[in-house]
Amino acid sequence: MNATAILEKIQEDAKASRAAILQEAKDRAEKMRTASDAKIASAKADMEKKAKADGLVEEQRLIRMEELDGRKRVLAAKRSLIERAFDGALQKMEAMPAKEARTFLLEMIRQVAEGDEQIIVGADHDAWFDDTFVTAANEALKQAGRKAELTVAGEKRSGVSGLILAKDDTEINCGYASILDSKRLEMEAEVAQVLFPEK
């Protein structure tokens, strides 16, 4: 074989080898592109799935928050109505006719007084009080088997409707607002039941 033939053979082998290498490289690149496309598609599907799940979680969280806010608004409205009911009750107590207020306050004294307190008359809505009130209060206590030594203070207490029983450094507030406040906890459930009956 002469030198020209050898050179041609080497060139042919190189061309064939080059073509095989190029084909192998193309095949490998295609496999890598296919694998990469599959990974990208899988990652995209995972991300979409996660985004959808996150979106559902966020949607549910927002719905729960809105429901909670709605319950808070309903509760605030109920609280406001209950507050108005108690305000209305106080106004009715303060508007009681003098005779009815006198009877009510004599009964309060009979229930809570020891019998030797000083009566401080509330300056607001005080038409129920006259010179005979202390005598009537002492008589009620006497009939209940207690001391009958109540006296009346020289000055009235501003900002109070009703009366206060004072002894030493202690006061029992029998003002209408104080009476309502003391009964409020036990009465609120009843008031709520009347305002918002169960269906």
Side-chain angles (χ1 to χ4, degrees):
M1 206 179 232
N2 63 22
T4 306
I6 292 172
L7 284 173
E8 285 176 4
K9 174 77 174 139
I10 290 172
Q11 284 178 349
E12 281 176 29
D13 289 346
K15 282 182 184 176
S17 184
R18 185 177 134 230
I21 290 169
L22 281 174
Q23 188 58 46
E24 186 181 334
K26 282 182 183 176
D27 290 347
R28 228 189 260 169
E30 185 60 34
K31 282 181 184 177
M32 287 173 69
R33 186 171 40 251
T34 302
S36 178
D37 287 348
K39 277 186 181 178
I40 290 170
S42 175
K44 184 179 174 188
D46 288 347
M47 286 173 62
E48 286 175 354
K49 188 176 177 181
K50 186 177 183 319
K52 188 174 181 180
D54 289 349
L56 284 172
V57 168
E58 182 64 14
E59 181 183 1
Q60 289 169 351
R61 187 184 70 80
L62 290 172
I63 289 169
R64 282 193 304 274
M65 284 178 60
E66 185 57 37
E67 286 172 350
L68 182 61
D69 285 346
R71 284 195 294 268
K72 284 180 183 176
R73 286 191 296 273
V74 168
L75 186 60
K78 285 183 176 183
R79 269 249 151 274
S80 175
L81 285 172
I82 289 171
E83 203 59 45
R84 284 173 44 197
F86 276 95
D87 288 346
L90 178 59
Q91 289 171 4
K92 283 183 180 178
M93 288 179 83
E94 290 174 341
M96 272 193 289
K99 185 177 179 182
E100 197 176 321
R102 178 186 173 99
T103 302
F104 175 79
L105 291 167
L106 284 171
E107 179 57 24
M108 284 301 301
I109 287 173
R110 192 188 67 72
Q111 288 178 22
V112 301
E114 292 177 10
D116 56 353
E117 295 92 345
Q118 189 176 51
I119 297 172
I120 302 171
V121 177
D124 301 345
H125 313 284
D126 62 350
W128 55 267
F129 184 77
D130 61 22
D131 295 338
T132 64
F133 184 82
V134 176
T135 305
N138 279 323
E139 186 57 38
L141 290 172
K142 194 181 214 179
Q143 288 177 5
R146 275 183 267 154
K147 286 183 197 173
E149 301 168 11
L150 294 174
T151 58
V152 68
E155 292 183 16
K156 294 182 177 182
R157 180 76 55 92
S158 65
V160 175
S161 294
L163 59 87
I164 295 168
L165 295 172
K167 180 178 177 181
D168 301 324
D169 292 332
T170 305
E171 290 186 349
I172 299 173
N173 192 334
C174 297
Y176 301 145
S178 181
I179 292 167
L180 274 177
D181 282 345
S182 70
K183 301 284 186 190
R184 188 174 188 121
L185 278 178
E186 61 190 74
M187 290 174 62
E188 265 190 0
E190 294 173 28
V191 170
Q193 189 60 38
V194 170
L195 290 175
F196 319 109
E198 295 291 326
K199 293 181 181 176

